Amino acid sequence: MNKNLLLLIICMSTLFGGLIHPTDGSKLSYVHVLFEWEEIPGSTGYDFQLSVSNDFSDPLISANTAELYYIEKDAINWESNYYWRVRSENGDWMNPNQFS
């Protein structure tokens, strides 16, 4: 890969933030899940949502945190599909990731 293109991708990720873990399409073998995302410069807090539907019409969890992670210990079940997303407070939602 071109070094300039790689640098551009890294810089854009830093500027706009992104979801880190669990990655999109991943299959987890545990039910206590650590959700991680990148910092959005200037943000003092983040809204986190977890849902079984990709439209988030009825989220299982809606939480606010100042951290770059959220740990869920109770809402995840085996053999289910989930969607998660994050935004800076009052910002736009990042594209959601799906995992099972």
Side-chain angles (χ1 to χ4, degrees):
M1 179 180 279
N2 181 312
K3 289 182 182 180
N4 290 335
L5 180 58
L6 182 58
L7 181 60
L8 176 63
I9 291 169
I10 292 169
C11 289
M12 287 179 63
S13 175
T14 303
L15 287 174
F16 299 111
L19 304 179
I20 298 173
H21 183 78
T23 57
D24 196 34
S26 60
K27 296 187 184 299
L28 306 182
S29 60
Y30 45 89
V31 294
H32 293 185
V33 178
L34 169 65
F35 296 90
E36 293 181 276
W37 54 90
E38 295 174 343
E39 179 179 12
I40 298 173
S43 182
T44 58
Y46 299 90
D47 294 322
F48 167 85
Q49 284 189 334
L50 176 68
S51 180
V52 293
S53 65
N54 62 357
D55 66 0
F56 293 86
S57 57
D58 189 22
L60 296 171
I61 298 171
S62 286
N64 183 272
T65 180
E67 306 298 332
L68 296 174
Y69 65 89
Y70 180 86
I71 300 173
E72 179 50 45
K73 297 179 181 179
D74 299 317
I76 308 292
N77 294 310
W78 293 105
E79 299 186 25
S80 297
N81 291 318
Y82 295 94
Y83 299 87
W84 71 285
R85 64 184 182 176
V86 173
R87 69 177 177 185
S88 63
E89 291 179 325
N90 303 315
D92 293 329
W93 290 105
M94 295 178 195
N95 289 331
N97 278 1
Q98 180 272 331
F99 69 94
S100 58

